[in-house]
Amino acid sequence: MDILSVIRRWALRDKLPIREISRRTGLSRNTIRRYLRAGIVEPKFNVPSRPSKLDAYAEKLSGWLLAEQRKSRKERRTAKQMHADLVQLGFDGSYERVSAFVRAWKSDRQRAQSTTDRGTFVPLVFKPGEAFQFDWSEDYAIIGGERTKLQVAHVKLSHSRAFLVRAYLLQTHEMLFDAHWHAFRVFEGVPGRGIYDNMRTAVDRVGVGKKRDVNARFTAMTSHYVFEPDFCNPAAGWEKGQVEKNVRDARSRMWQVMPTFPDLDALNCWLEERCKALWVETVHGGLPGSIDDVWQAEKPSLMPLPTAFDGYVEQSKRVSPTCLITFDRNRYSVPASFANRPVSLHIYPERLVVVAEGHVVCEHQRIIERSHRQPGRVIYDWRHYLAVVQRKPGALRNGAPFVEMPEGFRELQDQMLRRPGGDREMVDVLSLVLHHDEQAVLCAVDMALKAGVPTKTHVLNLLHRLVSGTSVELPDVTPPPALTLSKEPEANVARYDGLRTSGGKRHAS
């Protein structure tokens, strides 16, 4: 390349004759003329195509290399092993030829991935109301004075880029359904398509291409809200790049500046208000105005919001002889009439509902414990055990469920159990809550305690008066002045002896 530059400078700028240039360089005059005539700046040498012994096996070897790329690194064959396999097929070439082919194949594949495959992307444009994107992330917040690990749902409209962030303790089906409902509620409508990665709460099995075996409950949710789910290719997060960026931006916009909260509900209220404030503050970028301005224009394109999807997960449970079912290391009480029987447990994000024979049997607030170092908790409802203590009143004295009774009932129990038969009377008083309002029964008990008459009969009398509307105030028994006694009676038995001898006659004793 340097000699060509010298020849061009001598011929074009210094105007030296071809003969002199040939003398100085040692090149033939014909070669110098050819370079100058063709305007060659750098030399090129045409390598003739020569047949190779590997040509007949090139397609086979390329197929092997492609198959090896799909395996883990520890399971891949080396180039030497592939050469040995080709020799068994009839290849009589050298290992160096196979090694050179492998290096060239890998170089071409890396170049393709960095240009037309993963390294190159097409900008996407979405119509109003067309789609939203969903993703999970893990973040931390101070809740109840403790640093708590949270599973955070991110939902973002693809056109207006309005987004909602909502925190949960778990990443389960019921949390997924709840996140969709709150997102559609905040967006005031439902887009036509949802873009997801292949999360286990939605996809049971990833097939070839776009084929997916979608979870039945997830399909029921999409049918309820009438939108089409669209799943990305495996390990292709850029296909939902808007929500992926939202996960990154939320850490600096929200999680690093948020205050402490007493509970999870307070955190989610703050997150919702913070998201709406960021809509107003953030410029859309692709369209004029802020995110809030574009969202206001997109709302008419969203499907009107339907009723909330009943997003529970159902599990079959069998009630123990102690009237308990187990879920997530915790135990919850069930009415005694369902002991030793199968029931259905409907799991919601914040509560557990027990269903049997098509009816709701009971409901408990869900307890989620992240630490496995602590033993599981037992959540009793003392009303569930009334049918048992009616047959076994002695169990009332040390029954664990009855420790959680209201203060008035426990005070009445403490006084009644001091008398013979008090346990039976106390059971009869507690059983009144099965037929009357519990607050009315508790009010009657408090009135009986204040009156100093903690008996079953008095509680029943007061409850009857409260239910019928009769006044429970004691009547005024003060006599009028006309009936006032002139002489107060005396407690003197000697007067009786005087009556026996009155009139000089002695009466029979």
Side-chain angles (χ1 to χ4, degrees):
M1 183 173 178
D2 293 337
I3 192 65
L4 288 177
S5 178
V6 171
I7 292 172
R8 290 172 60 82
R9 184 171 61 253
W10 283 346
L12 301 178
R13 184 173 294 279
D14 298 340
K15 305 299 182 182
L16 293 180
I18 299 298
R19 186 185 297 273
E20 180 62 22
I21 297 174
S22 176
R23 187 185 64 79
R24 293 185 180 185
T25 60
L27 299 175
S28 68
R29 286 176 288 178
N30 291 336
T31 300
I32 296 173
R33 289 191 184 95
R34 186 172 67 253
Y35 285 160
L36 294 175
R37 190 182 304 115
I40 298 175
V41 178
E42 59 178 317
K44 294 181 180 180
F45 302 96
N46 296 326
V47 178
S49 58
R50 300 183 181 91
S52 172
K53 296 181 180 180
L54 192 58
D55 292 344
Y57 303 92
E59 185 175 355
K60 172 69 72 175
L61 184 55
S62 298
W64 286 355
L65 290 171
L66 187 60
E68 295 299 319
Q69 290 294 317
R70 300 191 183 101
K71 298 179 182 179
S72 64
R73 188 175 297 274
K74 294 181 179 180
E75 296 176 347
R76 296 176 186 174
R77 289 184 293 174
T78 63
K80 185 171 292 186
Q81 291 172 328
M82 294 182 188
H83 173 258
D85 294 339
L86 287 176
V87 170
Q88 293 181 0
L89 295 178
F91 176 67
D92 58 352
S94 64
Y95 162 73
E96 286 74 13
R97 180 64 257 171
V98 175
S99 178
F101 183 91
V102 171
R103 287 195 301 271
W105 186 90
K106 291 183 177 180
S107 178
D108 293 341
R109 184 170 177 81
Q110 290 177 355
R111 190 181 306 108
Q113 289 179 344
S114 62
T115 54
T116 59
D117 198 358
R118 297 187 178 183
T120 305
F121 307 95
V122 177
L124 303 179
V125 177
F126 296 90
K127 298 178 182 178
E130 179 183 355
F132 70 92
Q133 300 180 9
F134 182 92
D135 199 11
W136 288 102
S137 70
E138 289 186 354
D139 290 283
Y140 291 85
I142 305 299
I143 300 178
E146 296 183 0
R147 186 171 183 263
T148 306
K149 182 180 180 180
L150 299 171
Q151 304 296 324
V152 184
H154 299 257
V155 189
K156 190 168 187 175
L157 293 177
S158 299
H159 175 74
S160 63
R161 302 178 187 175
F163 57 89
L164 178 68
V165 178
R166 192 167 179 85
Y168 298 92
L169 293 176
L170 300 174
Q171 195 181 123
T172 52
H173 281 93
E174 61 273 16
M175 311 298 180
L176 174 68
F177 301 150
D178 186 73
H180 279 77
W181 160 248
H182 286 287
F184 297 150
R185 174 184 58 82
V186 172
F187 297 153
E188 300 182 17
V190 184
R193 184 163 58 100
I195 303 175
Y196 305 86
D197 55 17
N198 299 283
M199 51 189 180
R200 294 184 178 180
T201 48
V203 178
D204 292 335
R205 190 180 69 87
V206 179
V208 179
K210 287 292 186 179
K211 186 178 180 180
R212 302 288 187 275
D213 290 342
V214 184
N215 180 271
R217 286 294 289 166
F218 185 83
T219 303
M221 182 201 67
T222 61
S223 178
H224 177 84
Y225 291 122
V226 197
F227 71 88
E228 196 71 27
D230 187 8
F231 298 99
C232 301
N233 291 312
W238 59 83
E239 295 182 7
K240 53 181 179 62
Q242 289 183 346
V243 74
E244 293 281 352
K245 183 178 184 299
N246 196 77
V247 171
R248 183 190 64 187
D249 294 342
R251 292 194 170 98
S252 59
R253 292 177 174 180
M254 299 181 184
W255 300 103
Q256 295 177 4
V257 298
M258 68 170 47
T260 60
F261 300 95
D263 52 35
L264 192 62
D265 291 336
L267 168 61
N268 282 322
C269 289
W270 183 88
L271 286 173
E272 183 174 324
E273 295 301 322
R274 178 61 177 164
C275 288
K276 291 181 178 180
L278 288 172
W279 296 0
V280 179
E281 300 171 5
T282 308
V283 178
H284 185 275
L287 296 171
S290 64
I291 290 178
D292 184 72
D293 296 333
V294 183
W295 170 69
Q296 294 289 347
E298 186 183 17
K299 280 198 298 183
S301 303
L302 300 174
M303 189 191 79
L305 186 66
T307 58
F309 175 66
D310 193 10
Y312 64 84
V313 175
E314 186 175 11
Q315 291 186 8
S316 179
K317 297 290 182 179
R318 187 172 185 84
V319 184
S320 70
T322 53
C323 310
L324 297 171
I325 59 173
T326 303
F327 176 72
D328 276 356
R329 300 175 61 248
N330 298 319
R331 291 182 291 171
Y332 302 85
S333 66
V334 176
S337 57
F338 294 93
N340 303 306
R341 293 173 57 186
V343 295
S344 177
L345 180 64
H346 291 185
I347 305 164
Y348 292 88
E350 73 287 346
R351 71 187 193 278
L352 300 175
V353 179
V354 179
V355 178
E357 301 174 355
H359 300 282
V360 175
V361 173
C362 64
E363 184 174 327
H364 288 280
Q365 183 179 1
R366 182 177 179 181
I367 305 298
I368 301 177
E369 297 287 352
R370 296 303 302 267
S371 175
H372 290 269
R373 299 178 181 177
Q374 302 295 332
R377 297 172 54 184
V378 183
I379 295 87
Y380 291 113
D381 187 340
W382 59 271
R383 304 164 193 83
H384 295 164
Y385 294 86
L386 290 177
V388 179
V389 295
Q390 284 176 346
R391 294 182 290 105
K392 302 177 180 180
L396 181 64
R397 185 178 298 271
N398 298 110
F402 299 98
V403 177
E404 303 176 1
M405 288 192 304
E407 180 65 27
F409 287 147
R410 287 192 285 111
E411 185 177 349
L412 180 65
Q413 178 188 7
D414 183 60
Q415 297 192 28
M416 278 190 170
L417 293 185
R418 298 175 185 175
R419 304 191 301 267
D423 50 0
R424 172 67 68 181
E425 289 191 4
M426 186 62 199
V427 169
D428 294 339
V429 172
L430 292 177
S431 299
L432 293 174
V433 302
L434 300 176
H435 308 285
H436 301 280
D437 181 63
E438 182 178 335
Q439 291 301 319
V441 178
L442 191 58
C443 181
V445 170
D446 291 337
M447 294 174 63
L449 291 172
K450 290 179 181 178
V453 191
T455 63
K456 168 189 170 182
T457 306
H458 192 54
V459 171
L460 287 172
N461 184 25
L462 291 173
L463 179 61
H464 175 71
R465 290 173 176 270
L466 289 173
V467 173
S468 62
T470 306
S471 174
V472 295
E473 298 294 334
L474 295 177
D476 187 9
V477 295
T478 304
L483 299 179
T484 304
L485 295 175
S486 59
K487 185 179 179 179
E488 294 291 337
E490 298 179 3
N492 186 3
V493 295
R495 296 178 60 198
Y496 177 73
D497 293 337
L499 291 175
R500 294 175 59 193
T501 57
S502 62
K505 297 179 180 180
R506 186 177 180 84
H507 299 276
S509 52

